[in-house]
Amino acid sequence: MSILEHIALLARYNADMNQKLYDAAAQLSQDELIADRSAFFGSLCGTMNHMLAGDTIWLKRFAAHPAAFPALQAMHDIPLPSGSLRHTFGDSVAALRPYREQLDAMILALAPQLQPGHVDGTLEYRSTQGVLFHKHFGSVLLHFFNHQTHHRGQASTLLTQAGIDIGVTDLLAWVPGA
């Protein structure tokens, strides 16, 4: 598989896993969702908000790429999260799900718009502290998906501790046969 095929696979996996995460989280009471579980972002809701904040920041950076990806045009109208990576988009699954689905749709639409020259090139962006970076775009895209997987793993643990089984989470289940 080429890096573009891997990115498309990761985009599908990401969208499917986010749906599984939100469906599982919807089984919790509001109190359970926002309960401080001593996770890095406190609660399951805090973790879900962090994932949205991180995705928003990265997708806004990707939207500024010189290729002007049509899939990301709506990101120009979405403000950067205030409070950076601890921004709160909502405190319920019902409040968070529409934005999660909007971002996942953009990610799915972006994947087929990527070309080898894009992923082999450089992405210029600023950190949330204003530091300028120039990084290999394909590697940054892989980081983007890895970040989501990392925090979904934390969310899966929090759900398991609350008695909810999210089901199969391994990327392998999405990898096509040879």
Side-chain angles (χ1 to χ4, degrees):
M1 288 177 68
S2 72
I3 189 169
L4 295 175
E5 291 168 320
H6 281 285
I7 289 169
L9 171 66
L10 289 169
R12 289 188 306 275
Y13 169 72
N14 174 69
D16 289 350
M17 284 306 306
N18 283 333
Q19 183 176 359
K20 287 178 74 159
L21 170 64
Y22 276 68
D23 289 348
Q27 297 176 48
L28 297 175
S29 71
Q30 180 64 20
D31 287 343
E32 291 173 309
L33 182 69
I34 63 172
D36 186 346
R37 298 179 184 275
S38 299
F40 193 75
F41 292 95
S43 66
L44 176 58
C45 189
T47 302
M48 294 164 71
N49 272 288
H50 168 72
M51 292 169 62
L52 289 170
D55 288 0
T56 301
I57 291 167
W58 278 112
L59 289 172
K60 286 192 70 65
R61 291 171 180 162
F62 300 164
H65 188 282
F69 302 111
L72 301 180
Q73 289 305 304
M75 290 306 300
H76 296 293
D77 297 327
I78 295 173
L80 274 172
S82 62
S84 192
L85 296 173
R86 293 192 179 272
H87 180 84
T88 299
F89 293 89
D91 65 356
S92 69
V93 173
L96 298 176
R97 189 186 296 261
Y99 189 50
R100 175 75 269 160
E101 290 174 349
Q102 179 186 10
L103 294 183
D104 288 345
M106 284 188 233
I107 296 164
L108 285 167
L110 172 64
Q113 293 174 5
L114 295 167
Q115 300 297 315
H118 300 144
V119 296
D120 290 336
T122 300
L123 178 68
E124 178 180 300
Y125 67 92
R126 291 197 178 273
S127 70
T128 55
Q129 293 79 33
V131 178
L132 182 63
F133 288 94
H134 296 86
K135 299 227 178 203
H136 180 258
F137 188 37
S139 297
V140 171
L141 285 163
L142 293 177
H143 162 75
F144 172 72
F145 289 111
N146 186 63
H147 179 259
Q148 295 171 6
T149 300
H150 167 71
H151 288 295
R152 270 194 308 270
Q154 292 174 334
S156 176
T157 296
L158 297 175
L159 285 161
T160 299
Q161 291 170 352
I164 307 285
D165 181 6
I166 193 171
V168 174
T169 62
D170 290 332
L171 173 63
L172 186 60
W174 280 257
V175 173

